[in-house]
Amino acid sequence: MNDMKFLCTKVKENWLTSPQNREKVTAQGLSIKEPFIGMEINNNEPSEEEKNKVDKAVNNLFGNHIKAFPIRLIEL
């Protein structure tokens, strides 16, 4: 059985202490696995749809600062 993967970006832990920021993350359809925000995937590689969803959400959350939030795949 494959371990669950998390397509995500790392955020500052103090950023996640704000209920407003946590709500923004969930409103974008992402999950929080501190200090990461992203989405769980079942495959070893994310689909284009999964990549696009996380890219769009991170862009909506951080806009001009998106380069400071690289998206990567980690094991949970």
Side-chain angles (χ1 to χ4, degrees):
M1 185 171 173
N2 288 346
D3 291 327
M4 194 65 87
K5 308 277 186 185
F6 199 55
L7 184 62
C8 60
T9 191
K10 186 174 183 180
V11 296
K12 291 183 179 179
E13 291 180 40
N14 64 349
W15 189 84
L16 286 172
T17 61
S18 163
Q20 287 178 313
N21 289 342
R22 293 178 80 84
E23 188 176 311
K24 288 178 192 176
V25 170
T26 56
Q28 291 296 319
L30 299 182
S31 300
I32 299 170
K33 307 273 186 207
E34 292 189 34
F36 301 97
I37 60 171
M39 67 183 292
E40 292 180 9
I41 65 168
N42 292 318
N43 300 316
N44 285 330
E45 290 296 321
S47 68
E48 284 301 312
E49 183 178 329
E50 290 167 329
K51 288 180 193 176
N52 289 338
K53 180 179 179 176
V54 174
D55 278 338
K56 183 178 178 185
V58 170
N59 188 44
N60 287 340
L61 289 167
F62 304 111
N64 294 335
H65 303 287
I66 193 168
K67 290 186 184 218
F69 299 94
I71 296 170
R72 61 186 177 208
L73 189 62
I74 62 170
E75 287 195 36
L76 295 177

